[in-house]
Amino acid sequence: MWAAILVTVMAAILLIRPATTNWTTIFAAASRSVAPLQLTPPHEDWYGRPYKTICSAVNVETFPRVLFITEGHCVLEGHVQELAIEGAQATVVWFDKDRDLVLLQVSRADLNPRWWPMFFRNTSPRPGTPVGAIGYAFGVDAPTFSLGTVAHVPSTDDPAFQVMMQQMGIPSFRVPVLMFSLAVWGGHSGGIIVDAKGHGITLVRMGGVTDSYSAPSEVIWKFLQDAKARVRLMPLR
């Protein structure tokens, strides 16, 4: 009898024990959706050194079209005709300045078998939710990873938040902004922020070594629905 009770108790403990999150596995899977956004040909930095990766991009479809999403400021530097994704020429098919988001298309002839579409959630997570950021920070050859949490979802009408945005050189946002206690670096923009299930929450927009800011999940989701509806009317490449 006592043996049966012990087995029951152990089973109950196993059921209520929280499952651990294997971020190594999540990173490996989600990295297949992230690719470097590049300039062709490579440009030179202030020191005369060649560079080509400027941001990151996230795959959202591989059939019938090959589509990526990235941040609008990544293509605002006069390089729209010189973009490539992991070496494959990329074309801007929709640019939404209000949401600071861009949809890019790559020819199916250049489809990389490594790419895997990211599934985006349509609602923003609550503060305290663990998240991970994946992107090509500093233009490195392989994706980087940082771990953090959702911090807050401020309003665009928050005066203190608006002052902070102005101090950072950004006049205003036309959508609310998710705040994260999450490190991101240059080149990370356009990369993916995922939850513990590996689902896309949003794209990396801006930040630093302690905090970062991005569009809410609802904004990304709506942009993708609107953009894909437009792309359906275009000829296949």
Side-chain angles (χ1 to χ4, degrees):
M1 181 180 70
W2 289 108
I5 293 175
L6 179 61
V7 170
T8 302
V9 171
M10 292 299 296
I13 292 174
L14 290 174
L15 285 174
I16 64 175
R17 188 176 65 181
T20 57
T21 300
N22 189 332
W23 284 104
T24 301
T25 301
I26 293 171
F27 170 72
S31 292
R32 294 188 59 190
S33 302
V34 186
L37 182 64
Q38 303 163 329
L39 295 177
T40 55
H43 288 50
E44 291 186 349
D45 64 15
W46 292 343
Y47 304 99
R49 298 172 300 191
Y51 73 93
K52 59 180 180 179
T53 298
I54 54 172
C55 281
S56 307
V58 178
N59 181 250
V60 293
E61 184 177 299
T62 55
F63 184 84
R65 293 173 174 83
V66 184
L67 302 175
F68 284 80
I69 184 176
T70 190
E71 286 288 313
H73 62 266
C74 290
V75 298
L76 281 176
E77 303 299 327
H79 303 306
V80 175
Q81 304 301 322
E82 305 171 315
L83 296 174
I85 293 178
E86 210 159 336
Q89 182 179 358
T91 303
V92 174
V93 293
W94 195 29
F95 196 143
D96 190 325
K97 292 184 178 180
D98 288 343
R99 290 181 276 199
D100 191 33
L101 295 170
V102 174
L103 191 71
L104 299 163
Q105 184 173 7
V106 172
S107 170
R108 282 198 55 78
D110 295 324
L111 176 64
N112 189 324
R114 183 187 74 82
W115 296 338
W116 190 262
M118 170 60 63
F119 172 82
F120 279 88
R121 53 188 294 165
N122 59 6
T123 56
S124 297
R126 297 178 179 179
T129 302
V131 297
I134 302 170
Y136 286 77
F138 304 118
V140 294
D141 294 333
T144 60
F145 178 77
S146 59
L147 188 62
T149 59
V150 178
H152 188 48
V153 185
S155 166
T156 53
D157 297 325
D158 184 343
F161 186 73
Q162 288 299 328
V163 168
M164 181 181 68
M165 293 295 102
Q166 291 170 7
Q167 291 174 343
M168 297 178 70
I170 300 175
S172 65
F173 279 104
R174 299 186 184 181
V175 295
V177 180
L178 278 176
M179 297 178 64
F180 298 93
S181 55
L182 179 70
V184 297
W185 307 279
H188 231 144
S189 292
I192 191 69
I193 297 178
V194 297
D195 61 18
K197 294 182 179 180
H199 296 162
I201 294 174
T202 184
L203 302 185
V204 175
R205 174 158 291 178
M206 66 179 198
V209 296
T210 59
D211 55 336
S212 56
Y213 307 86
S214 300
S217 304
E218 294 83 353
V219 172
I220 302 293
W221 177 268
K222 185 63 168 59
F223 170 82
L224 287 174
Q225 305 313 304
D226 295 343
K228 287 183 178 182
R230 288 194 176 196
V231 173
R232 293 290 178 272
L233 303 177
M234 299 170 56
L236 285 170
R237 292 176 61 232

